[in-house]
């Protein structure tokens, strides 16, 4: 199987496999952060699904394929919007600057989407206008923000976990979530490189595949760690105490 297609299938399976239980539980319990997190990961699954349909089916380079690309693009921004709402609610609920940043990022993505539509590029595949870059930079910033906040909180919680004052699996979940968001941030940077220099597409293919698979493994281990992995994490923290 094509490695890129395999990475897409993994991303779709993991995204829906992780998001649906979290989203269902969040809705039942009225847990807003869980709903936002589940929605962010679920929209990632949707965008991976439609990008796969766009690129790896007979719809490629047809009007239907172009429509799939638009849905994929909307899915990415929807995922980032849910992600930054989650980041704000969980890590900086009373920070006014974070609130301003959130709405600026949302505005940039919306403006970028509709701005590119005004020049006939709803799929976001051209590099000859500023709209796509506005949207892409906002997405990169959103993923980067999520990765940074989670990593910073992990470092604080890790010290407590080593002393037995916090759950090692929770501390590790924050690290893995940061890695997941960081991989998406890096992937979007890679996509921007491809957009700017089309000739780099094939050279970056395997690198982007590696980022995708790393992010998906991190996501799965964060929320559904196998017993062996969970025991390893607890033992690793206990060894540092």
């Amino acid at each position: 199987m094509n490695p890129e297609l395999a990475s897409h299938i993994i991303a779709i399976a993991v995204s829906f496999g992780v998001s649906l239980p979290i989203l269902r539980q969040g809705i039942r319990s009225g847990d807003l952060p869980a709903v936002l997190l589940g929605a962010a990961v679920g929209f990632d699954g949707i965008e991976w699904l439609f990008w796969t349909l766009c690129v790896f089916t007979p719809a490629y380079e047809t009007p239907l394929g172009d429509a799939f690309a638009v849905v994929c693009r909307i899915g990415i921004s929807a995922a980032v919007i849910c992600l930054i709402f989650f980041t704000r609610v969980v890590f900086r609920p009373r920070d006014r600057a974070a609130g301003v940043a959130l709405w600026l990022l949302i505005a940039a993505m919306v403006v970028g989407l509709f701005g590119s539509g005004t020049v006939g590029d709803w799929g976001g595949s051209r590099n000859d206008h500023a709209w796509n870059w506005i949207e892409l930079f906002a997405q990169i910033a959103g993923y980067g923000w999520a990765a940074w906040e989670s990593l910073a909180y992990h470092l604080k919680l890790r010290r407590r976990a080593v002393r037995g004052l916090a759950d090692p699996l929770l501390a590790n979940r924050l690290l893995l979530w940061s890695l997941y968001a960081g991989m998406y941030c890096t992937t979007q940077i890679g996509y921007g490189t491809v957009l700017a220099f089309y000739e780099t597409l094939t050279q970056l293919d395997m690198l982007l595949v590696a980022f995708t698979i790393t992010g998906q493994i991190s996501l799965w281990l964060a929320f559904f760690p196998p017993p062996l992995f969970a025991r390893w994490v607890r033992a690793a923290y206990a060894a540092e105490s």
Side-chain angles (χ1 to χ4, degrees):
M1 181 184 291
N2 182 309
E4 188 178 2
L5 175 58
S7 71
H8 288 196
I9 293 173
I10 291 171
I12 294 167
V14 173
S15 294
F16 288 131
V18 170
S19 68
L20 293 178
I22 294 174
L23 193 57
R24 182 170 57 248
Q25 181 180 354
I27 292 173
R28 286 178 177 175
S29 62
D31 185 348
L32 178 59
V35 171
L36 290 171
L37 187 150
V41 177
F43 277 121
D44 275 332
I46 290 172
E47 62 99 352
W48 279 115
L49 173 60
F50 278 91
W51 184 244
T52 302
L53 292 173
C54 170
V55 176
F56 292 104
T57 71
Y60 181 61
E61 293 188 338
T62 69
L64 179 59
D66 293 341
F68 288 157
V70 175
V71 176
C72 169
R73 184 181 182 188
I74 294 172
I76 295 173
S77 287
V80 176
I81 288 171
C82 292
L83 180 68
I84 58 179
F85 265 111
F86 170 80
T87 303
R88 168 74 196 286
V89 168
V90 171
F91 298 105
R92 296 187 179 271
R94 290 178 291 275
D95 190 322
R96 292 184 179 180
V100 172
L102 182 149
W103 290 110
L104 285 176
L105 291 175
I106 293 174
M109 284 182 277
V110 172
V111 167
L113 173 64
F114 286 97
S116 63
T118 63
V119 296
D121 185 25
W122 286 107
S125 60
R126 287 165 40 190
N127 62 9
D128 59 345
H129 57 84
W131 303 113
N132 284 339
W133 297 110
I134 293 172
E135 180 186 27
L136 182 61
F137 289 148
Q139 292 169 352
I140 291 170
Y143 281 120
W145 180 22
W148 171 259
E149 294 288 2
S150 188
L151 179 60
Y153 203 85
H154 158 75
L155 294 174
K156 295 177 183 178
L157 197 61
R158 184 180 183 279
R159 290 192 290 268
R160 299 184 62 191
V162 168
R163 295 180 175 89
L165 301 175
D167 184 358
L169 287 181
L170 178 57
N172 194 65
R173 176 178 294 172
L174 288 163
L175 177 62
L176 291 169
W177 179 252
S178 175
L179 182 59
Y180 167 75
M183 288 296 98
Y184 263 85
C185 178
T186 307
T187 299
Q188 290 302 91
I189 293 173
Y191 174 74
T193 304
V194 171
L195 189 64
F197 309 103
Y198 285 107
E199 64 272 14
T200 66
L201 179 59
T202 54
Q203 289 92 328
L204 288 178
D205 271 354
M206 293 310 299
L207 191 59
L208 295 178
V209 166
F211 291 153
T212 298
I213 293 177
T214 300
Q216 296 304 317
I217 291 173
S218 301
L219 177 64
W220 185 261
L221 291 177
F223 293 99
F224 299 102
L228 181 63
F229 178 77
R231 288 195 296 270
W232 176 79
V233 169
R234 293 188 186 280
Y237 277 81
E240 294 186 36
S241 60

